[in-house]
Amino acid sequence: MDDDLSSGLDLDGLPPEEFSARVFGTSGPRTGGGLELAPFRGVRFVPEIAGDPASVTMPPYDLIDEAAATRLLAEGGHNIVRLNLPHTAGESYDAAGRRLRRWLDEGALTIDADPALYVYEAADGDTVLQRGLIGALGLRAEADGVVLPHENVFPGPVRDRLALMTAANANLEPIFLVYEGGGDAARIVDGATAGTPLMEFLADDGLSHRLWRVDDPALHARVAADLRDRQALIADGHHRYATYRALQSRRHSAGDGPGPWDSGLAMLVDSTRYPPNLDAIHRVLPGLRPDQAVERARKVFRVTGFPDEAAALEALAAAPRPAFLLGGGDGVHLLTEPDPDALRRSMPSEHSPRWRGLDTAVLDHLLIGNVWNVPENEDAIDIVHHDASAAIARARRSGGTAVILNPLKVEDVLAVAGEGERVPRKSTSFGPKPRTGLVLRLLEP
């Protein structure tokens, strides 16, 4: 990857496809090496000084809005939000880096004495929803076919996370990857949970979060052998993985040899043992009136009106793909059976048939870009994770239109990524995501 981000050249004008190709190494030379998740000396909160883990940890940073950040700041003086989103407290990234070192000096954070892998679990009562292995993920160019992104990234968020990562000199939260395993690593993960957890607490999301340490070098070697020939998909954290790659490029360009910047903090989940949830990300178009959206959509879709939101959501779930639900006015409308000629004219021919059939691709190109002629930017399009009712309510408050989607299928995402393509932006929301603040990784302990 060119070191443009770290050398000061302006890449903000590049389209996401070109920027992503550079930062992920899509067309770069193969760098060699298989899938690697190495042990590291974890940094963890000390409850006796920092406080209850439920009050100092948080969901991933990109799920935190201003109201949530304010609430987190009020809950505890050592909440990880002060490191991960320091601007919410009116502080700079440099101040966040100094705060991290101060918390280490004060004993609110401790560094484990020996390198370890960590097992993370999220459970709803007795039901395990997520269980994965946290370690230092070896960074690989996409051309290697080892770590596969499935979404494009943008320079702005990468530049932002790079500034924070540089100031903190640390990885503050793990990204989330899935792989098809069923081997020795999965057995080691499950075996670790028979012991007493390092940390266990009930968070405000209603889930129990637990963390175990795997510090036996023999087990580390078995994990390495099992993962070496496997392939992982980035489920959540594309911009942070791109930031890992940008930081690696910066250090190599500065003449630094191999080091901790060649890895990034990550959680790896065996999807054959713990299949991830794949939820939809809905859109709200505040500048598009619902009546206009429906009338224009009639030109290319079959439109069916529903007075009841619950019945409409059931119909959407059962409808053949692609299908969408429009809300925001007095009723909701189901869009099905798009006109084949309109689809053929609107969808980019350079993409595969599977990609052109994705609901989010049809939404972006046929509806948003063509029928509605809405610019694709953050001012014109808001997003709402998971909650269809919340998206419709937001549209009603703004006088705009909500577009409710079915979640993509995991097999479609894997197939698209395996062919070197990207699903459209904000297509997927994999979960449950690892909670931030359970374990951190210093780049120079």
Side-chain angles (χ1 to χ4, degrees):
M1 182 192 71
D2 294 336
D3 193 34
D4 294 325
L5 271 172
S6 53
S7 63
L9 295 180
D10 183 11
L11 294 184
D12 288 330
L14 285 182
E17 294 81 4
E18 185 175 346
F19 176 74
S20 301
R22 292 195 189 189
V23 78
F24 288 137
T26 303
S27 57
R30 293 182 61 87
T31 58
L35 182 61
E36 178 189 21
L37 196 72
F40 68 102
R41 294 177 62 197
V43 177
R44 298 179 292 106
F45 281 107
V46 178
E48 292 79 7
I49 298 177
D52 180 1
S55 71
V56 297
T57 58
M58 65 181 247
Y61 83 100
D62 53 353
L63 298 184
I64 300 296
D65 58 18
E66 185 174 347
T70 301
R71 185 174 64 253
L72 289 168
L73 287 170
E75 286 179 357
H78 289 93
N79 193 286
I80 189 70
V81 73
R82 295 181 181 274
L83 303 181
N84 217 27
L85 292 172
H87 292 160
T88 61
E91 297 181 347
S92 68
Y93 289 156
D94 286 340
R98 292 191 297 270
R99 182 183 295 275
L100 171 61
R101 265 62 196 180
R102 186 166 66 250
W103 286 358
L104 286 163
D105 291 341
E106 295 170 351
L109 289 169
T110 185
I111 306 174
D112 285 342
D114 298 311
L117 296 170
Y118 298 83
V119 172
Y120 167 74
E121 178 186 277
D124 184 1
D126 294 330
T127 303
V128 176
L129 302 179
Q130 185 67 281
R131 188 178 284 170
L133 193 61
I134 297 177
L137 176 75
L139 306 183
R140 302 287 182 260
E142 186 182 358
D144 290 351
V146 175
V147 178
L148 299 180
H150 70 270
E151 288 185 351
N152 284 319
V153 293
F154 292 75
V158 175
R159 197 183 302 277
D160 172 76
R161 291 293 96 181
L162 181 61
L164 175 61
M165 202 174 294
T166 301
N169 207 11
N171 300 150
L172 298 175
E173 62 180 333
I175 64 173
F176 170 25
L177 299 95
V178 295
Y179 77 108
E180 294 184 352
D184 206 16
R187 289 188 288 273
I188 290 169
V189 166
D190 287 338
T193 63
T196 303
L198 287 172
M199 184 183 298
E200 180 176 11
F201 62 93
L202 182 67
D204 57 5
D205 57 8
L207 302 182
S208 296
H209 299 267
R210 301 181 180 93
L211 190 74
W212 291 264
R213 182 169 51 219
V214 178
D215 51 16
D216 183 348
L219 296 180
H220 300 164
R222 286 169 55 188
V223 168
D226 183 33
L227 296 182
R228 187 172 297 119
D229 296 326
R230 300 188 187 275
Q231 185 180 66
L233 176 78
I234 301 174
D236 183 69
H238 283 77
H239 284 95
R240 281 168 284 160
Y241 184 76
T243 303
Y244 294 161
R245 294 267 301 161
L247 180 63
Q248 178 189 42
S249 177
R250 168 184 286 180
R251 298 302 294 258
H252 288 179
S253 295
D256 294 325
W261 41 84
D262 294 317
S263 302
L265 187 61
M267 181 179 77
L268 189 62
V269 173
D270 182 347
S271 61
T272 66
R273 299 289 285 269
Y274 301 99
N277 295 330
L278 181 51
D279 293 315
I281 302 178
H282 310 299
R283 273 60 163 172
V284 176
L285 286 63
L288 179 64
R289 289 192 352 232
D291 58 334
Q292 293 178 339
V294 171
E295 282 308 306
R296 295 176 189 174
R298 289 186 192 279
K299 300 175 182 177
V300 293
F301 278 89
R302 178 183 178 185
V303 178
T304 306
F306 286 83
D308 179 71
E309 182 180 312
L313 289 171
E314 289 183 8
L316 173 66
R321 308 290 184 93
F324 310 96
L325 201 64
L326 304 187
D330 294 333
V332 286
H333 295 80
L334 179 66
L335 309 187
T336 55
E337 302 175 25
D339 177 75
D341 290 334
L343 271 178
R344 188 167 49 253
R345 291 193 302 269
S346 300
M347 302 307 292
S349 60
E350 67 270 18
H351 283 288
S352 67
R354 187 187 291 266
W355 188 96
R356 294 197 299 270
L358 297 174
D359 287 38
T360 48
V362 174
L363 172 62
D364 285 351
H365 291 274
L366 177 57
L367 279 173
I368 290 177
N370 190 338
V371 172
W372 294 332
N373 195 27
V374 173
E376 190 175 355
N377 59 53
E378 294 178 355
D379 295 327
I381 304 174
D382 297 331
I383 62 168
V384 176
H385 287 77
H386 313 166
D387 193 336
S389 296
I392 292 173
R394 181 183 294 188
R396 285 179 176 144
R397 289 194 299 270
S398 68
T401 299
V403 185
I404 308 304
L405 297 91
N406 283 313
L408 297 186
K409 297 177 180 178
V410 175
E411 56 265 32
D412 286 337
V413 177
L414 288 169
V416 167
E419 293 299 320
E421 292 184 292
R422 312 266 197 272
V423 300
R425 184 170 182 251
K426 299 301 180 184
S427 287
T428 60
S429 180
F430 282 90
K433 305 180 194 302
R435 194 163 176 88
T436 297
L438 290 174
V439 60
L440 291 61
R441 174 178 178 256
L442 299 182
L443 292 176
E444 293 181 359

